[in-house]
């Protein structure tokens, strides 16, 4: 029997967290929740499920996930978000691997992700079905600590195995909720962009936003997702514009501060 620690990072997820935790019953032998100062009933709900809850100010997605991994008692980690739910097929596949002790046959597993926007499955728009490493031996993997990474890093020699079923990712209940989440990501991306060496011209935010809009529509197939696809492309435009506009402001402020410091006599 191989034990699994499920890790969840949360912030005001009372609307989603119970559905997520219910699907972990029988799969996870330990649930570690890293909560970034929720003001709703998230922590109370998690406590009812016997989760180990640790409060930590939000320090970036990769950083939060890696911190949660560091708290795990068991070697194998199942990383899942509060707005995600294991399908019945995936639940059973993981339980079978645990029971016959064959989980150790692979160091990590790629799980199929299926996204929903406003309750409807999305097949394109950059949210189409894809594989992500979410079940892994923590000795051989680590989270990308770049704030916008949110990927498990591992040696190229390790080839993740795949499992049947999927993780249902309920990204939002409303477009306003999706916009809030994307703008939150944009604020993080802005800091990463501002730290880079490339300059950001006055027209760059608008050009990048237009490119993101067209990329979502044409390359990622938002047109095939109908109304939801058009709205997702609009949110992508707004988030990209915000990320580059904020990054430009940060760069200008930093350059001004450095210039002022250099001109100040000792």
């Amino acid at each position: 029997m191989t034990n699994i620690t499920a890790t969840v990072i949360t912030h005001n997820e009372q609307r989603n967290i119970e559905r997520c935790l219910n699907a972990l019953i029988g799969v996870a032998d330990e649930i570690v929740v890293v909560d970034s100062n929720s003001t709703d009933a998230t922590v109370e709900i998690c406590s009812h499920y016997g989760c180990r809850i640790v409060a930590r100010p939000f320090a970036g997605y990769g950083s939060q996930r890696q911190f949660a991994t560091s708290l795990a008692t068991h070697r194998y980690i199942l990383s899942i978000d509060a707005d995600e739910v294991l399908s019945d097929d995936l639940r059973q596949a993981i339980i079978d691997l645990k029971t016959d002790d064959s989980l150790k046959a692979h160091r990590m597993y790629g799980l199929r992700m299926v996204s929903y926007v406003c309750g409807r499955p999305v097949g394109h728009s950059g949210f189409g079905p894809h594989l992500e490493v979410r079940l892994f031996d923590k000795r051989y993997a680590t989270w990308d600590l770049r704030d916008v990474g949110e990927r498990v890093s591992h040696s190229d020699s390790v080839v993740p195995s795949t499992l049947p079923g999927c993780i249902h990712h309920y990204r939002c209940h409303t477009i306003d909720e999706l916009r809030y989440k994307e703008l939150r990501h944009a604020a993080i991306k802005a800091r990463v962009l501002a730290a880079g060496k490339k300059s950001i011209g006055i027209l760059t935010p608008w050009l990048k936003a237009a490119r993101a809009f067209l990329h979502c529509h044409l390359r990622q197939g938002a047109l095939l997702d109908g109304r939801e696809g058009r709205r997702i492309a609009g949110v992508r435009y707004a988030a990209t514009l915000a990320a580059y506009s904020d990054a430009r402001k940060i760069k200008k402020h930093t350059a001004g501060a450095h210039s002022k410091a250099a001109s100040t006599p000792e």
Side-chain angles (χ1 to χ4, degrees):
M1 181 78 172
T2 306
N3 292 329
I4 292 175
T5 294
T7 60
V8 190
I9 61 173
T10 59
H11 174 70
N12 290 345
E13 292 286 357
Q14 66 176 17
R15 190 172 185 176
N16 298 309
I17 190 63
E18 191 162 10
R19 178 176 56 188
C20 171
L21 297 177
N22 276 328
L24 293 176
I25 295 174
V27 175
D29 302 280
E30 173 188 50
I31 302 175
V32 173
V33 174
V34 175
D35 183 78
S36 53
N37 303 316
S38 290
T39 56
D40 62 4
T42 298
V43 171
E44 180 181 354
I45 294 170
C46 291
S47 66
H48 289 164
Y49 280 80
C51 302
R52 179 184 173 193
I53 306 164
V54 178
R56 185 181 193 240
F58 186 76
Y61 292 99
S63 176
Q64 293 293 93
R65 296 184 201 281
Q66 187 60 37
F67 179 70
T69 298
S70 73
L71 300 174
T73 302
H74 307 303
R75 275 174 43 191
Y76 274 85
I77 308 297
L78 173 61
S79 177
I80 189 165
D81 288 345
D83 58 0
E84 296 175 345
V85 182
L86 302 181
S87 71
D88 290 341
D89 289 348
L90 180 55
R91 275 176 40 81
Q92 192 58 54
I94 297 175
I95 290 171
D96 290 344
L97 286 176
K98 287 178 50 178
T99 303
D100 63 18
D101 214 28
S102 59
L103 185 65
K104 298 175 184 177
H106 297 278
R107 294 173 179 173
M108 55 194 64
Y109 295 82
L111 308 183
R112 185 168 176 264
M113 310 294 295
V114 177
S115 293
Y116 297 78
V117 171
C118 300
R120 297 184 60 179
V122 178
H124 307 88
S125 306
F127 291 153
H130 61 284
L131 289 176
E132 288 186 15
V133 174
R134 292 296 196 90
L135 178 59
F136 55 89
D137 185 330
K138 65 181 181 181
R139 299 177 302 171
Y140 300 99
T142 184
W143 283 98
D144 186 343
L145 296 184
R146 288 190 65 198
D147 286 344
V148 293
E150 295 187 72
R151 291 187 300 271
V152 171
S153 299
H154 58 84
S155 169
D156 292 338
S157 63
V158 177
V159 179
S161 180
T162 57
L163 294 177
C166 67
I167 293 179
H168 299 291
H169 186 181
Y170 298 95
R171 291 182 176 272
C172 63
H173 298 279
T174 67
I175 285 296
D176 284 342
E177 183 183 350
L178 179 64
R179 186 176 295 107
Y180 169 80
K181 289 183 176 181
E182 291 291 311
L183 288 175
R184 191 180 185 203
H185 276 77
I188 296 171
K189 184 177 180 179
R191 295 196 294 270
V192 175
L193 291 169
K197 294 182 179 180
K198 290 185 178 180
S199 61
I200 300 175
I202 189 170
L203 294 179
T204 300
W206 302 96
L207 293 174
K208 292 289 187 180
R211 182 179 179 182
F213 180 83
L214 293 174
H215 181 76
C216 185
H217 264 302
L218 304 178
R219 294 289 298 276
Q220 296 180 327
L223 291 170
L224 301 175
D225 286 324
R227 181 174 180 237
E228 277 70 29
R230 293 192 297 273
R231 297 167 95 183
I232 292 168
V235 169
R236 200 71 50 76
Y237 175 91
T240 304
L241 179 62
Y244 279 88
S245 295
D246 289 350
R248 186 167 187 271
K249 291 176 184 177
I250 295 170
K251 272 186 173 293
K252 287 181 66 177
H253 176 77
T254 303
H258 288 166
S259 177
K260 184 178 180 180
S263 63
T264 301
E266 294 184 0

